[in-house]
Amino acid sequence: MEFEISTGKKAGSFIKRRISRIVLYVLYGGICELYSLDSRVKDEIDSWPEGMTYCLACSEKGPRLFFRKSQNQLQRLNPRIQRYYDTAITFRSLDGAFDVLTGKMGIAQAYSAHAFSLHGDIGTAMELTRCVDVVESYLFPRFMTKRILKKVPGKETSTLLVYARILIGALRGAYTPSAEEKKPYHIKSMHKKYEES
Amino acid sequence: MIPKYYEFQSSAKILSGRHALENLPSELKNLGAQKPMILSDEILEKIGTLQIVLDALAQGGVSEGGIYTRIPADSSLQVVHNIAGEYRRLGCDSLVAVGGGSVIDTAKGVRMVLSQDVDDLLDIWGCENLSGAVRIPFAAVPTTSGTGSESTLVAVIKNEARRLKMEFISYYLQPDVAVLDVRMTQTLPPRTTASTGMDALCHAIEAYTCMQKNPVSDAYAMGAIQLIVQNLEQAVKKGKDPQARLAMANASMMAGAAFSNSMVGVIHAIGHALGGVCHVPHGDAMTILLPHGMAFNHRVLKDEYARLLYVLAGEETFINTPEAARGKEAIRQVWLLRRRLHALCGLPVRLRECGVSKSDFALVAKTAMNDGAMIVNPREVSYEDVLMILEKAY
C-alpha cells in the first residue's frame, strides 16, 4: 500500500514539476545557443565524441532532458522514447532538482549535498557541469550566480542576446525532440530502471 | 559551521591491535560467512604476510573457499570479472581482501559484480547509483597505511580496453570489517611507509577542507592528522615499532572514513592525472603536490588551515603564531614534515625526481580537469591553474 500524499505536497510537487520542465527546456536552449556564442561552451561540446548522449533527470519519475551531440550540433531527444545514454545525472528528489534549476543551489553544491546520483563516467559529467556553469552565468542574475558558483565565469556575449536567441529557437521549433530513439556513443544498459518504471 | 545538509556513513567494524587477525574468524561467522574467498597479491604471498592471515583463519575454523593472488598493481576490470567467475564456480559466500589499495579495490569490484548481479561492471559505473542487492560479507585487511581503502566508499578499477581508470563511489562499497593488525605493515620499507603516510595526511587535510566537509568527517580528519604527525616519522625510522605502526594504520583508516564523506580536491585530481599520464606513484604525487595545492587553496581556506596548525605543530606553535599567519604556518609545517621525510628516506619532493617531463603537463592538466575531485575543491580551478601548480611542483 502506498502512502497517501497530502494536498499541499501534491500541489507543491505539481508546480515544481512544471517549473522544472520549463527550466530544463530553457537550459537546453541556453546550451544550444551558447554553443555558437561562447567559446568555452563550444570547446567543451567540440571535445565530446559523436553520439555522446546525456540525461538530466529531476528524480526517477520527474521531468527528464535527453540530448546528444550529432554532426557538430546538439539534438534534443524525446524522454518518452529515448532509454539509453552515456552519462546520466539523476536528482534524488524533485526538491533537490528544483533548487538547482531555480538557482538556489549550484551543481557543485548539489554534488556536495549528495543531491544527485551519477550513472556513467564522472569525467563526462564534469564536462557537462562546466557547460552548465557557463550557461547559468548567462541565464541567472549575478546576485544568484555569485551565491551558487565558486567563481562566476565572465560573459562573452550579452544575456539579452542569449534569451532572444532561445526565444527565436523555441518559436522556430529548433528544440523539438527527435521522434525516434538515437544511439548513444557507448550503448549502456544502465537505463533499465526507466524502462521498468 | 554545520552545512545546510550532509550525509555521513562509516559502516566498517574496526578490529584494531593485538590479535585483531585472530578475531577475524568470529567476525566472519557473525556476518554469516562460512566459505570466504581470499584475495591478495603475489608479493604478499611470497613474503609470508598472506600466510599470517591464512593461519588466523585456519585456527578459527574457517573453511577456505578459494585464494586468488594474481592481482596486478592496478586493479583491473578483467581481473575483477575473472575473480567473480571463480567465486561463483567455487561456491564462496564472502570476501577477505589482504593487501593495499589495489587488492581491496579489486575486492570491492568483485563485490559489486556479485551483489548487483551484473555481468559487466560498466553497467553500474557511476557515483552513488548502487542499491543494496545481494549482501556479500566483506572483510578488508590492509597491508599499507595510506589508501584508507578499508574504510572508503570509493573503488578505482582500470579498464584496459578503454585505457581509463573507472571510479565508483557508493556507500555499498564500504567493507563490513576492517582489520588493523601491525603484523601486516611491519615489513613495509621506510620509503613506502613515508609515501603512503603522506597519502593519508593528504586525505585528511583535503577531507577537512573540501566542500562536502561536515562535523563528523572533521573529527575523523583531525584525529587522523594528529596521529600521523605524532607517528609517521617514527614508523619510517623504526618500522618494527608496534605503537607507531598501529597508530598509522588507524590514521589511514580514519582519514579514509573522513575523505569518503567529504571527498578530496585539487591535489588528488592532479595526483590521479599524474598517475594515469606519467605513472607517478600515488603517494609520491600526494607528497609533492600537498603543499602546493594547499598554497593554491589558501585564499579561500585561511581559517581551516589555521585550525589545522594546532594538530600539525602543537599548542605552543599555535599560540605563538599570530592569528593571521596561522594558515600559512600550517602549510609551512607540511613543507617541513616533507623535508624531514626526504632526509630520512629520500621521499621525492619534486615532480622532476619522478620522471615527469614538462611536455606531459598539458595532458596532465586536461585529465585533471575532468577528475571528479575537482568539483568539490573549495576554490574554482582552471586549466591554467593546474599548469601553474604543476610548474611550481616541478
Side-chain angles (χ1 to χ4, degrees):
Chain A
M1 199 175 81
E2 280 188 22
F3 288 112
E4 202 169 303
I5 189 167
S6 70
T7 317
K9 185 75 179 172
K10 198 173 181 179
S13 174
F14 176 80
I15 294 166
K16 282 181 178 176
R17 195 178 284 263
R18 292 285 150 159
I19 294 175
S20 298
R21 188 166 288 146
I22 294 166
V23 179
L24 279 180
Y25 185 87
V26 176
L27 179 71
Y28 173 73
I31 298 174
C32 267
E33 298 309 329
L34 285 165
Y35 178 50
S36 54
L37 293 171
D38 190 292
S39 63
R40 292 157 299 180
V41 176
K42 184 172 166 42
D43 289 346
E44 287 292 350
I45 296 174
D46 282 344
S47 72
W48 299 351
E50 177 70 14
M52 181 70 201
T53 306
Y54 284 102
C55 169
L56 195 59
C58 306
S59 81
E60 295 238 336
K61 291 178 179 174
R64 300 201 294 269
L65 168 69
F66 272 95
F67 62 96
R68 85 195 268 269
K69 184 183 174 188
S70 173
Q71 293 167 342
N72 289 326
Q73 57 180 358
L74 294 181
Q75 182 180 33
R76 190 166 160 234
L77 307 170
N78 191 334
R80 289 175 201 277
I81 300 168
Q82 186 72 27
R83 291 166 300 164
Y84 299 106
Y85 53 74
D86 294 295
T87 299
I89 291 173
T90 307
F91 284 90
R92 286 167 69 188
S93 72
L94 181 62
D95 303 80
F98 185 78
D99 281 357
V100 171
L101 294 173
T102 53
K104 286 192 191 121
M105 199 194 266
I107 295 263
Q109 291 162 333
Y111 180 77
S112 302
H114 303 266
F116 59 79
S117 63
L118 170 78
H119 295 253
D121 182 3
I122 293 173
T124 57
M126 292 295 292
E127 290 170 355
L128 178 65
T129 57
R130 283 198 294 269
C131 272
V132 171
D133 281 354
V134 175
V135 175
E136 281 182 338
S137 73
Y138 286 95
L139 299 184
F140 292 142
R142 195 167 167 81
F143 76 88
M144 258 188 198
T145 49
K146 268 177 82 174
R147 198 182 58 214
I148 64 171
L149 300 177
K150 286 184 259 183
K151 185 183 173 192
V152 183
K155 291 181 188 178
E156 291 184 6
T157 187
S158 88
T159 293
L160 211 60
L161 178 66
V162 177
Y163 268 111
R165 289 199 38 168
I166 294 172
L167 188 65
I168 294 166
L171 290 173
R172 66 182 174 89
Y175 316 135
T176 308
S178 161
E180 58 189 71
E181 188 167 36
K182 298 285 181 183
K183 194 177 149 191
Y185 171 56
H186 288 295
I187 298 179
K188 292 307 309 149
S189 55
M190 292 182 282
H191 219 36
K192 272 182 204 156
K193 263 184 224 161
Y194 293 145
E195 280 179 69
E196 285 157 9
S197 67
Chain B
M1 200 173 79
I2 307 265
K4 280 183 187 163
Y5 179 84
Y6 79 89
E7 294 180 3
F8 186 94
Q9 181 179 312
S10 183
S11 52
K13 180 172 180 180
I14 310 300
L15 311 183
S16 166
R18 194 173 158 79
H19 303 316
L21 276 170
E22 280 67 25
N23 288 334
L24 180 57
S26 72
E27 280 309 318
L28 288 173
K29 279 174 192 157
N30 287 346
L31 291 164
Q34 290 171 340
K35 207 177 164 192
M37 177 160 218
I38 318 296
L39 308 184
S40 191
D41 64 40
E42 283 166 344
I43 294 172
L44 292 170
E45 187 180 21
K46 198 172 159 187
I47 63 172
T49 305
L50 175 61
Q51 193 56 47
I52 299 171
V53 181
L54 296 179
D55 288 346
L57 291 174
Q59 189 189 43
V62 176
S63 323
E64 180 204 308
I67 301 177
Y68 194 102
T69 55
R70 297 190 307 279
I71 295 175
D74 281 324
S75 13
S76 113
L77 195 60
Q78 188 57 47
V79 171
V80 166
H81 289 146
N82 288 347
I83 298 172
E86 279 288 287
Y87 181 100
R88 286 180 179 127
R89 191 180 65 79
L90 296 168
C92 301
D93 62 5
S94 51
L95 291 164
V96 175
V98 183
S102 168
V103 172
I104 298 176
D105 279 7
T106 302
K108 287 176 178 177
V110 175
R111 194 192 198 196
M112 271 190 280
V113 171
L114 296 167
S115 69
Q116 303 293 312
D117 197 23
V118 290
D119 295 323
D120 189 349
L121 264 185
L122 278 168
D123 290 343
I124 47 170
W125 187 12
C127 167
E128 296 191 26
N129 60 334
L130 302 184
S131 53
V134 183
R135 199 173 144 270
I136 309 282
F138 172 29
V141 186
T143 56
T144 60
S145 298
T147 66
S149 193
E150 65 278 12
S151 60
T152 67
L153 48 86
V154 183
V156 179
I157 291 161
K158 194 173 176 184
N159 182 338
E160 299 92 340
R162 282 166 66 176
R163 281 197 261 174
L164 54 86
K165 285 191 173 183
M166 297 161 63
E167 193 174 1
F168 296 84
I169 302 175
S170 170
Y171 288 113
Y172 295 102
L173 294 181
Q174 287 180 332
D176 298 307
V177 177
V179 184
L180 310 179
D181 192 309
V182 291
R183 287 171 287 176
M184 295 291 100
T185 53
Q186 273 179 336
T187 50
L188 268 185
R191 169 97 168 49
T192 315
T193 303
S195 178
T196 51
M198 286 301 284
D199 184 20
L201 180 65
C202 193
H203 288 156
I205 290 178
E206 288 214 285
Y208 190 74
T209 51
C210 270
M211 282 175 72
Q212 274 184 12
K213 80 195 243 48
N214 57 68
V216 193
S217 68
D218 282 357
Y220 275 83
M222 278 288 200
I225 295 169
Q226 195 155 29
L227 285 173
I228 293 165
V229 169
Q230 289 168 353
N231 294 282
L232 177 56
E233 286 168 86
Q234 176 66 5
V236 172
K237 282 184 217 160
K238 203 177 166 200
K240 297 280 180 197
D241 181 337
Q243 274 305 106
R245 284 294 189 193
L246 192 59
M248 283 308 297
N250 274 272
S252 166
M253 176 274 296
M254 289 165 74
F259 94 78
S260 261
N261 288 279
S262 66
M263 300 315 284
V264 283
V266 64
I267 302 167
H268 270 79
I270 303 177
H272 293 154
L274 279 169
V277 177
C278 309
H279 309 290
V280 178
H282 183 67
D284 290 353
M286 294 301 99
T287 307
I288 295 165
L289 294 168
L290 180 57
H292 298 289
M294 287 176 79
F296 173 77
N297 278 332
H298 179 261
R299 188 189 293 177
V300 294
L301 291 175
K302 281 189 193 81
D303 296 343
E304 282 79 3
Y305 288 160
R307 281 193 288 274
L308 285 183
L309 180 62
Y310 189 86
V311 282
L312 281 168
E315 194 178 356
E316 205 179 323
T317 310
F318 182 81
I319 293 168
N320 292 336
T321 309
E323 207 173 326
R326 283 176 185 161
K328 282 197 175 154
E329 180 59 23
I331 300 172
R332 202 178 74 89
Q333 290 296 329
V334 171
W335 209 282
L336 293 175
L337 171 66
R338 208 178 63 147
R339 191 187 294 170
R340 290 196 298 271
L341 289 171
H342 176 72
L344 271 176
C345 61
L347 198 63
V349 290
R350 289 188 174 279
L351 287 177
R352 68 172 73 133
E353 295 167 41
C354 297
V356 178
S357 155
K358 279 194 174 189
S359 59
D360 297 324
F361 282 5
L363 184 55
V364 172
K366 193 168 175 271
T367 311
M369 287 306 291
N370 275 355
D371 192 281
M374 279 298 190
I375 197 166
V376 281
N377 191 66
R379 185 177 165 193
E380 183 71 27
V381 188
S382 68
Y383 174 82
E384 289 74 24
D385 293 330
V386 179
L387 288 179
M388 184 264 293
I389 292 171
L390 288 168
E391 276 291 341
K392 289 198 169 174
Y394 189 72

